[in-house]
Amino acid sequence: MTLSAMDYKATLNLPRTDFPMRANLPETEPRILAWWDEIGIYKRLREVAADRPLWILHDGPPYANGHIHMGHVLNKVLKDVIVKSRTMLGYNAVFVPGWDCHGLPIEHQVDKELGLDVAGVDVRRAMDPLEKRQRCRAYALRYIDIQRQEFRRLGVFGDWDNPYLTMAPAYQAVIAREFGRFVGRGLVYKGLKPVHWCMYCKTALAQAEVEYEEERTPSVYVAFPLAAPLPDVPDAPAALAIWTTTPWTLPANLAVAVHPDEEYVALEHDAQALVVAGKLADQLARLLGRADARRLASFPGRRLVGLDYQHPWLDRRGPVAAAEFVAMDVGTGLVHIAPGHGEEDYELGRRLGLRTYNPVDDDGRFVPEVEHLAGLTVWEANPRIVDLLRARGRLLAEVEVTHTYPHCWRCKQPTLFRATEQWFIALDRDGLRQRALEAIRRDVQWIPPWGQERIYSMVAHRPDWTISRQRVWGVPIVAFYCLDCEALLLDERIVEHVAAIFRAGQGADEWYLREPAELLPPGTRCPACGGTRFRKETDILDVWFDSGCSHAAVLETRPELRWPAEMYLEGSDQHRGWFHSSLLEAIGTRGAPPYRSVLTHGFVVDGEGRKMSKSLGNYVAPQDLIPRYGAEVLRLWAASEDYTEDIRLSSEILDRLADAYRRIRNTFRFLLGNLYDFDPTRHRPRREQLDELDRFVLDRLARLIDRARRAYEQYQFHTVFHAVHNFCAVDLSALYLDVIKDRLYTSAADDPRRRAAQATCYELFCALARLLAPILTFTTEEAWRHLPGPRSESVHLERFPEVPLEWLDDRLKAEWDRLLEVRREVARALEAARAAKRIGSGLEAAVRITAAPEDLPALLEAKAALLPTLFIVSRVGLGPGPAGTLVHYESQEIPGLTIEVDRAPGRKCARCWIWHEQVGACAEHPTLCPRCVGVVTARR
């Protein structure tokens, strides 16, 4: 009896698996999430890792407002990859997520809902603060729940049921206590100083809350008349030429600064001597249309110091002062000084004994005392001031300039620099700044390394820390004022007492629920006058102080954590944000940084490298992408890019990654499909029983394991992805899996060589699934369930494979690297034969290597038996062959290598498709080759 080709198919060991080819991620992922919840995956991880070394990535808290965006996706996925990889590297990597709940973004939304977001309204007194705080809390809770579900949808593991919240009473108590520690060290003071101020949000802003955007604004060149002629030009009236890009600050002018060591000249202009820096004189002369203006005199800047000038339109005189910060690259080399509107102006004003004068109110309007400008906003005042200068004959020139200008991070409007009474932490007392700078260089690993210089420069050059905000939703500054003499009561002991009240009660709400006497320790008296009646401070603490205390409120209080953390990870903007405030807070109170390493990532930009925004139409939300791609492809996107740069995102990029994902998934499916009858407890052969090709691919796998482990240890996740993807595409799909199909499909089920191939597939899958588990969190879990034999319930309970040293074989690697070079040339020869229409598939070919360079003949002779399998052809010969070959190919890549291709002799086996001269020799199976006859006969 003979069998048909269809019947012979039934004798093949074709792949079988329930692991589907189509991922259908948007539907599959929620089922896996539900299963993780069912088994309590995070709790299981903690149980499994309980005895391992603790490793803590401390979560930087996102704001609890709005849905998550792609920046959140990038950030949380990177954190998740690190936590999962550290777990699989053998650590107990605990992850406690958190939320920043206080601050302007939330309070502003509530103000909008309540109609309080209007000029002239003091939001601290516009309504019952407790009611407003209750509304802010409800708003934050709503978005905490929303964001928690969105983060979990990404497959991020963590203690989601017990996150830390900066608005929790215990956390608020720690914030107050940490403030008290700064008070106790003498680092807190209240003073009138210029700070960034948002006239729209009506609050001071920290440096981290300021963004710099290009803006086109008027700049003016103004003549400030000197009170007396210059000594060097006694016969002509003289004026100082100043330049400013903020005309609205001129009403607050109290001095003019010159550089003492630079040369200045007196230019002849409209019958007066106009003073300007020598290096900038020609530029000013051209601007005034007087390129040939005569220089009447020259003198060093120090000769001008002490002269008096008259304000351009106000009845006010000011002095000329020396200042090293005066620059010579732009302007006139003379700087108008308004101590109420600039940091350097303020410091110079202090040295000169000038008052810190600020004629602009909280709404950005000039106060009534300012002649000509009262009630106008600073922006409305700019053109009025230009007109006023022109009318008085003091306007030398007006030029529009484009320059970077500070903007509020929340409302995106330009900020003012204005002097207001604020609370500060002094950075140069008790060596705080210097100690922080030393810790940056000595105690912390910065990833990437340029982060060190970035934060070092920011800490070195920043002003004192403005820690007060004129809002309600936050932790109050625990300070009191005597009602009898207005003396300030600020004492660490009192702050600690109030913090204890917060901890035992309703948190910072207690500040608003209680009268001062109920907050102060019994018997408290004013240290100045002995009074017993007090009022409370109305300012709250900077939200960056809140989050900067997270190391104290979370790492030091939760038993499963420890201080300091191994790592903080956020975007590169946090060098001036959370990294910065956390460092200063910890150095100021504990003398050491709260982290051992800091990793920063770039921002998400579109495919052309542009910032994403709704106005540009290039904004994409994860809520729109997940239904199309699933969370897995977004995870792959986050892990596959070099996060040290800005990360591009577009449909083309995601489609390309989806293709890469499918290649990896299909590799998993092939491996699992060929393990359907494999039992690793019974069928795993000894190493010497493996085919040479098996041992070669295991050598490759061992090297991949080593590279991937080192990449995870060094946080090079894109290296992991590209190395594994390349291994799947090149070493497996294009080589090993292609070559072993014949052995897997056509051998007898229990053939030792088939079992060797299956054992190799088993090792490949086990390693690849574990290596990719931190990145392809869902897919590796789904595939892991289909693995035969004993295994952990979840792939995430496994550890990374160790490098099996017995798999490494340098000699074998060298031989096979050379063989694969020959294989690529054989493939080119076969392609040439196909192009000439001499063959179809490679199995129709007989290949003969007629000549080879001197290192190859011995190697080819030694491997002659496996060459047909490696080349996937029916026959391979070595040495000169008969004349009349169909295709002759000379290699360009391997000089001296000559390959001939002919049609294979014999007939095609109906079962394995190899061409063999003895097909038909068996009468019972006339369409089979001898090997297949033996297999089919043995199945009876």
Side-chain angles (χ1 to χ4, degrees):
M1 181 186 72
T2 61
L3 298 177
S4 67
M6 187 59 68
D7 291 327
Y8 286 133
K9 183 178 180 181
T11 70
L12 298 173
N13 310 303
L14 296 178
R16 281 181 257 164
T17 179
D18 293 330
F19 180 64
M21 179 186 298
R22 289 181 55 83
N24 200 8
L25 292 170
E27 293 182 16
T28 303
E29 290 168 348
R31 291 196 293 269
I32 295 173
L33 288 168
W35 182 73
W36 282 334
D37 285 344
E38 182 184 325
I39 68 168
I41 186 65
Y42 184 76
K43 183 180 178 183
R44 293 287 304 280
L45 280 166
R46 301 285 65 77
E47 293 168 351
V48 167
D51 297 329
R52 301 179 191 171
L54 199 58
W55 197 94
I56 306 299
L57 189 157
H58 181 40
D59 189 29
Y63 278 114
N65 68 314
H67 291 268
I68 68 169
H69 51 68
M70 288 305 296
H72 288 117
V73 172
L74 173 66
N75 179 266
K76 275 294 193 290
V77 168
L78 286 177
K79 289 175 180 175
D80 189 54
V81 171
I82 287 176
V83 170
K84 284 180 173 139
S85 62
R86 288 285 141 175
T87 299
M88 298 185 79
L89 282 166
Y91 294 93
N92 183 12
V94 180
F95 184 66
V96 176
W99 274 274
D100 208 342
C101 308
H102 299 138
L104 195 55
I106 292 172
E107 188 170 354
H108 183 71
Q109 287 298 323
V110 172
D111 284 344
K112 285 173 65 176
E113 293 172 5
L114 296 172
L116 302 178
D117 187 32
V118 293
V121 173
D122 185 340
V123 294
R124 292 173 292 180
R125 298 178 176 85
M127 66 178 294
D128 178 6
L130 283 167
E131 181 184 346
K132 186 173 186 183
R133 289 173 64 84
Q134 185 177 0
R135 286 175 178 263
C136 288
R137 187 175 296 106
Y139 183 95
L141 284 171
R142 177 157 64 96
Y143 279 104
I144 287 168
D145 284 340
I146 288 172
Q147 291 186 5
R148 173 169 27 210
Q149 292 308 312
E150 291 174 333
F151 286 137
R152 295 183 77 166
R153 179 63 185 85
L154 297 171
V156 177
F157 290 175
D159 195 355
W160 293 109
D161 294 332
N162 300 287
Y164 77 86
L165 309 178
T166 61
M167 67 181 180
Y171 194 116
Q172 291 177 333
V174 171
I175 294 171
R177 184 199 69 198
E178 294 298 298
F179 170 73
R181 290 185 175 184
F182 277 99
V183 170
R185 286 161 172 76
L187 299 176
V188 176
Y189 69 95
K190 188 175 186 181
L192 180 66
K193 288 181 65 173
V195 297
H196 286 287
W197 181 270
C198 180
M199 58 188 268
Y200 304 93
C201 299
K202 291 186 279 294
T203 188
L205 299 173
Q207 187 64 40
E209 296 168 332
V210 174
E211 299 171 344
Y212 288 85
E213 302 288 346
E214 282 204 344
E215 189 164 279
R216 194 156 182 81
T217 59
S219 75
V220 289
Y221 293 79
V222 183
F224 281 46
L226 281 169
L230 288 166
D232 296 294
V233 191
D235 300 328
L240 307 172
I242 71 95
W243 175 71
T244 180
T245 59
T246 52
W248 64 267
T249 61
L250 288 171
N253 171 269
L254 297 180
V256 169
V258 297
H259 197 293
D261 301 324
E262 292 287 347
E263 181 194 35
Y264 288 79
V265 300
L267 286 182
E268 185 177 33
H269 176 69
D270 291 348
Q272 66 177 340
L274 192 60
V275 178
V276 61
K279 293 175 180 176
L280 296 164
D282 291 344
Q283 177 183 310
L284 178 62
R286 287 192 297 272
L287 186 65
L288 299 178
R290 306 284 178 85
D292 58 349
R294 192 158 56 100
R295 297 191 178 197
L296 303 174
S298 65
F299 34 82
R302 68 176 65 89
R303 291 262 301 276
L304 296 168
V305 175
L307 299 180
D308 285 343
Y309 66 89
Q310 180 68 40
H311 191 281
W313 75 85
L314 295 173
D315 185 15
R316 180 194 304 154
R317 283 194 174 191
V320 178
E324 299 285 341
F325 61 74
V326 176
M328 294 291 142
D329 57 340
V330 68
T332 65
L334 295 95
V335 178
H336 110 79
I337 300 299
H341 291 309
E343 182 68 26
E344 292 174 323
D345 302 46
Y346 169 78
E347 295 297 339
L348 180 59
R350 281 183 62 194
R351 293 202 300 272
L352 297 174
L354 302 176
R355 62 179 174 142
T356 305
Y357 176 51
N358 166 36
V360 178
D361 68 15
D362 289 0
D363 291 315
R365 297 180 181 276
F366 282 99
V367 297
E369 70 186 63
V370 182
E371 189 179 353
H372 307 295
L373 305 172
L376 297 179
T377 69
V378 295
W379 315 122
E380 294 167 344
N382 270 338
R384 293 282 189 95
I385 290 171
V386 174
D387 292 342
L388 194 58
L389 291 169
R390 186 178 289 111
R392 297 295 176 94
R394 304 302 184 200
L395 181 67
L396 296 172
E398 179 186 7
V399 180
E400 285 225 329
V401 295
T402 299
H403 63 139
T404 56
Y405 193 84
H407 287 64
C408 172
W409 69 300
R410 193 215 59 79
C411 69
K412 309 304 180 186
Q413 296 295 328
T415 65
L416 313 179
F417 215 61
R418 61 185 286 267
T420 60
E421 277 229 314
Q422 301 291 339
W423 290 87
F424 300 91
I425 289 177
L427 298 189
D428 295 310
R429 293 183 194 169
D430 193 33
L432 174 55
R433 188 194 307 272
Q434 188 57 38
R435 288 187 288 125
L437 292 173
E438 290 169 0
I440 288 169
R441 292 216 164 133
R442 182 188 62 226
D443 301 330
V444 182
Q445 178 191 9
W446 300 92
I447 307 165
W450 53 255
Q452 180 184 103
E453 286 309 312
R454 180 177 169 87
I455 193 169
Y456 188 95
S457 176
M458 289 176 173
V459 172
H461 299 110
R462 63 160 295 156
D464 285 350
W465 186 357
T466 310
I467 58 170
S468 50
R469 297 292 180 272
Q470 291 64 52
R471 308 298 295 190
V472 171
W473 179 228
V475 175
I477 291 176
V478 181
F480 300 85
Y481 302 89
C482 176
L483 287 176
D484 296 326
C485 71
E486 283 299 309
L488 173 65
L489 181 62
L490 183 67
D491 183 273
E492 183 180 10
R493 179 182 59 86
I494 292 174
V495 178
E496 182 60 50
H497 177 79
V498 174
I501 292 173
F502 289 179
R503 190 177 300 108
Q506 299 179 49
D509 282 0
E510 298 289 345
W511 186 258
Y512 302 94
L513 285 165
R514 298 175 182 235
E515 293 299 318
E518 299 173 280
L519 291 166
L520 289 163
T524 300
R525 289 184 173 275
C526 172
C529 72
T532 58
R533 298 181 309 124
F534 298 90
R535 64 180 175 86
K536 297 176 286 187
E537 172 62 70
T538 57
D539 285 356
I540 64 170
L541 283 162
D542 168 23
V543 70
W544 293 103
F545 190 89
D546 290 11
S547 58
C549 292
S550 64
H551 69 95
V554 183
L555 297 178
E556 289 185 339
T557 62
R558 295 185 65 141
E560 73 272 32
L561 303 178
R562 72 163 179 219
W563 194 99
E566 269 67 30
M567 175 173 284
Y568 279 30
L569 182 160
E570 300 300 330
S572 55
D573 57 334
Q574 296 307 308
H575 287 115
R576 64 189 181 111
W578 188 54
F579 303 151
H580 196 123
S581 64
S582 298
L583 176 71
L584 293 180
E585 209 289 326
I587 295 290
T589 57
R590 287 154 181 80
Y595 38 67
R596 293 193 172 101
S597 64
V598 170
L599 187 149
T600 53
H601 59 76
F603 297 106
V604 180
V605 295
D606 71 9
E608 298 175 13
R610 299 176 303 170
K611 182 180 178 180
M612 285 193 167
S613 71
K614 292 179 181 177
S615 61
L616 286 176
N618 63 351
Y619 178 82
V620 288
Q623 296 80 12
D624 298 325
L625 295 175
I626 288 175
R628 178 179 174 187
Y629 294 100
E632 199 79 301
V633 174
L634 300 190
R635 292 181 64 92
L636 192 54
W637 162 76
S640 65
E641 301 293 328
D642 179 1
Y643 57 74
T644 63
E645 307 289 341
D646 286 346
I647 297 94
R648 298 193 177 208
L649 176 67
S650 66
S651 295
E652 292 78 13
I653 290 170
L654 291 179
D655 288 342
R656 192 162 60 245
L657 286 169
D659 287 341
Y661 167 80
R662 280 189 285 272
R663 279 191 286 275
I664 293 172
R665 185 181 183 90
N666 288 339
T667 301
F668 282 178
R669 191 167 188 270
F670 182 95
L671 295 171
L672 291 171
N674 285 288
L675 297 177
Y676 67 90
D677 63 342
F678 180 76
D679 182 347
T681 62
R682 295 189 301 115
H683 296 147
R684 291 169 92 170
R686 296 187 303 277
R687 174 172 168 74
E688 58 269 19
Q689 293 176 300
L690 297 175
D691 273 26
E692 191 169 315
L693 179 59
D694 302 330
R695 286 186 280 116
F696 168 69
V697 83
L698 290 178
D699 172 89
R700 278 278 218 265
L701 178 62
R703 296 173 196 276
L704 174 69
I705 292 169
D706 180 56
R707 187 179 183 193
R709 286 181 63 104
R710 283 188 287 108
Y712 274 123
E713 288 168 355
Q714 297 165 10
Y715 313 110
Q716 299 292 318
F717 313 124
H718 63 292
T719 297
V720 176
F721 163 69
H722 291 295
V724 173
H725 177 258
N726 187 69
F727 181 79
C728 289
V730 177
D731 292 318
L732 296 188
S733 295
L735 174 61
Y736 182 71
L737 301 184
D738 201 22
V739 170
I740 65 169
K741 286 176 183 175
D742 178 72
R743 196 182 349 156
L744 286 170
Y745 299 170
T746 66
S747 302
D750 283 326
D751 187 310
R753 294 186 65 243
R754 178 171 180 267
R755 292 302 188 201
Q758 286 183 300
T760 306
C761 288
Y762 178 84
E763 299 292 356
L764 287 165
F765 176 82
C766 288
L768 293 176
R770 287 180 288 166
L771 290 177
L772 285 175
I775 298 171
L776 297 183
T777 282
F778 294 98
T779 302
T780 53
E781 187 73 281
E782 179 191 7
W784 189 255
R785 300 174 182 178
H786 299 275
L787 181 67
R791 53 179 169 78
S792 297
E793 186 175 11
S794 166
V795 70
H796 299 293
L797 300 174
E798 292 277 342
R799 291 171 68 160
F800 284 143
E802 300 287 343
V803 178
L805 297 180
E806 68 275 14
W807 289 359
L808 294 171
D809 189 330
D810 290 339
R811 183 188 61 79
L812 183 69
K813 176 182 182 300
E815 291 178 349
W816 274 80
D817 285 346
R818 191 63 167 152
L819 282 177
L820 293 181
E821 292 176 13
V822 176
R823 184 177 190 261
R824 284 190 288 272
E825 294 308 294
V826 169
R828 291 190 175 102
L830 292 172
E831 193 56 42
R834 282 192 200 92
K837 301 191 183 309
R838 300 304 179 93
I839 62 168
S841 78
L843 289 175
E844 294 179 13
V847 169
R848 178 169 291 276
I849 299 175
T850 58
E854 59 185 26
D855 67 312
L856 275 178
L859 177 63
L860 294 172
E861 191 67 43
K863 310 295 183 185
L866 58 81
L867 294 181
T869 303
L870 178 61
F871 299 158
I872 315 181
V873 296
S874 289
R875 177 181 292 187
V876 175
L878 300 175
T885 304
L886 295 178
V887 173
H888 180 82
Y889 174 83
E890 293 186 5
S891 171
Q892 302 300 308
E893 298 296 323
I894 305 178
L897 179 68
T898 304
I899 302 167
E900 294 181 346
V901 180
D902 212 334
R903 290 191 64 85
R907 293 163 52 198
K908 176 182 175 182
C909 174
R911 184 169 176 273
C912 71
W913 298 0
I914 288 175
W915 288 62
H916 199 284
E917 290 161 302
Q918 293 186 38
V919 170
C922 175
E924 189 176 357
H925 300 286
T927 61
L928 299 188
C929 67
R931 180 188 61 164
C932 287
V933 168
V935 173
V936 171
T937 303
R939 288 172 61 91
R940 292 179 179 175

